[in-house]
Amino acid sequence: MLNDQELLRYSRQILLQHVDIDGQLRLKESRVLIVGLGGLGSPVALYLAAAGVGELHLADFDTVDLTNLQRQIVHDTDSVGLTKVDSAIRRLSAINPEITLVAHRTALDEDSLAAAVAAVDLVLDCSDNFSTREAVNAACVAAGKPLVSGAAIRLEGQLSVFDPRRPESPCYHCLYGHGSEAELTCSEAGVVGPLVGLVGSLQALEAMKLLVGFGEPLVGRLLLIDALGSRFRELRVKRDPGCSVCGPKHA
Ligand SMILES: [Zn+2]
């Protein structure tokens, strides 16, 4: 049930026929894992906390640095030196005291990642490196959990949803597993705040759609964002039947 305060707090989204009381209850009963509390994870965590997702599981082993604040908007100047998880918990619980926040402050190995993924309904990959993305994808495929994946570097962003519950859905490895170009990180290549904000906001929106069950999720499609030209492009992406992660031999 929703109490009077919750009905008021969420009234503007409950007004939508796509959400309504039932959808709000579904959000309240949902558990979500956010991997990475940086530029993407910041808007993801802020919007999903504000929207009333019942349990947010927050994973990051890093601490807040001054160079983060240009884009990682869940943290503030007073948070420099704190763990990103504790910094985010302070801000998110101030935004919405009705929700539960679960902390993962240490790096997740294969077993702890599998357990963290098994404990939730949906995962958002907001990490900044290929090896984490591959590990999170493999854990999601193994557990049959939907994965909302976003990335941004320089002035380009990418977004897709991988949902192993749908037989036609590719996984992250189907798309990127065949030797990607040299890995770049934001600390080396640079990135602008509003672009990671945009990609993270879209990730939060895709998560809400999947949890509530409305709209058409970005499954089998890769959204490419060109910030320089203000252009959005969409590529169809297919499941790779020989994929070493989600292929039939490993299903
Ligand atoms: Zn695959």
Side-chain angles (χ1 to χ4, degrees):
M1 288 295 292
L2 298 167
N3 63 39
D4 288 350
Q5 286 298 307
E6 288 173 307
L7 288 170
L8 270 178
R9 177 182 285 273
Y10 308 122
S11 56
R12 294 306 186 271
Q13 68 194 35
I14 289 174
L15 270 175
L16 295 170
Q17 61 168 8
H18 296 98
V19 179
D20 212 328
I21 303 263
D22 285 347
Q24 191 61 52
L25 279 170
R26 253 172 259 145
L27 289 178
K28 184 176 179 173
E29 286 157 8
S30 294
R31 296 152 303 167
V32 158
L33 172 65
I34 303 171
V35 180
L37 294 168
L40 299 171
S42 286
V44 163
L46 289 166
Y47 275 125
L48 294 184
V53 171
E55 270 186 35
L56 290 184
H57 297 223
L58 309 170
D60 202 308
F61 57 83
D62 208 356
T63 53
V64 180
D65 183 83
L66 187 60
T67 60
N68 299 151
L69 300 183
Q70 159 257 8
R71 63 195 179 284
Q72 301 184 12
I73 57 172
V74 77
H75 312 297
D76 55 42
T77 307
D78 286 342
S79 295
V80 170
L82 286 180
T83 68
K84 287 190 177 178
V85 167
D86 288 318
S87 163
I89 284 175
R90 189 169 66 179
R91 176 93 175 105
L92 300 174
S93 53
I95 288 175
N96 192 349
E98 307 271 2
I99 62 167
T100 301
L101 301 167
V102 178
H104 296 284
R105 292 185 189 83
T106 50
L108 297 171
D109 62 15
E110 195 177 331
D111 289 343
S112 54
L113 180 60
V117 168
V120 298
D121 306 300
L122 178 147
V123 178
L124 293 117
D125 187 345
C126 303
S127 69
D128 63 353
N129 65 84
F130 187 68
S131 60
T132 303
R133 290 172 185 282
E134 283 281 354
V136 169
N137 176 64
C140 287
V141 169
K145 301 291 168 75
L147 170 63
V148 181
S149 183
I153 195 86
R154 295 199 181 107
L155 291 156
E156 289 165 23
Q158 296 192 359
L159 184 78
S160 194
V161 174
F162 307 107
D163 191 347
R165 299 170 304 178
R166 298 166 184 247
E168 78 282 7
S169 173
C171 79
Y172 178 85
H173 191 78
C174 293
L175 232 71
Y176 298 101
H178 306 286
S180 67
E181 66 278 27
E183 188 181 337
L184 286 172
T185 63
C186 293
S187 58
E188 294 152 4
V191 70
V192 290
L195 175 63
V196 286
L198 175 62
V199 174
S201 298
L202 287 169
Q203 285 182 271
L205 181 58
E206 288 301 312
M208 286 180 71
K209 286 164 59 183
L210 287 161
L211 294 170
V212 173
F214 66 90
E216 183 194 354
L218 199 60
V219 173
R221 298 183 285 150
L222 177 66
L223 187 67
L224 300 170
I225 301 168
D226 162 24
L228 214 51
S230 301
R231 287 186 181 87
F232 286 65
R233 223 154 41 93
E234 187 182 301
L235 296 180
R236 290 267 153 194
V237 288
K238 286 210 171 95
R239 185 169 182 186
D240 173 5
C243 175
S244 63
V245 176
C246 73
K249 273 182 288 186
H250 304 265

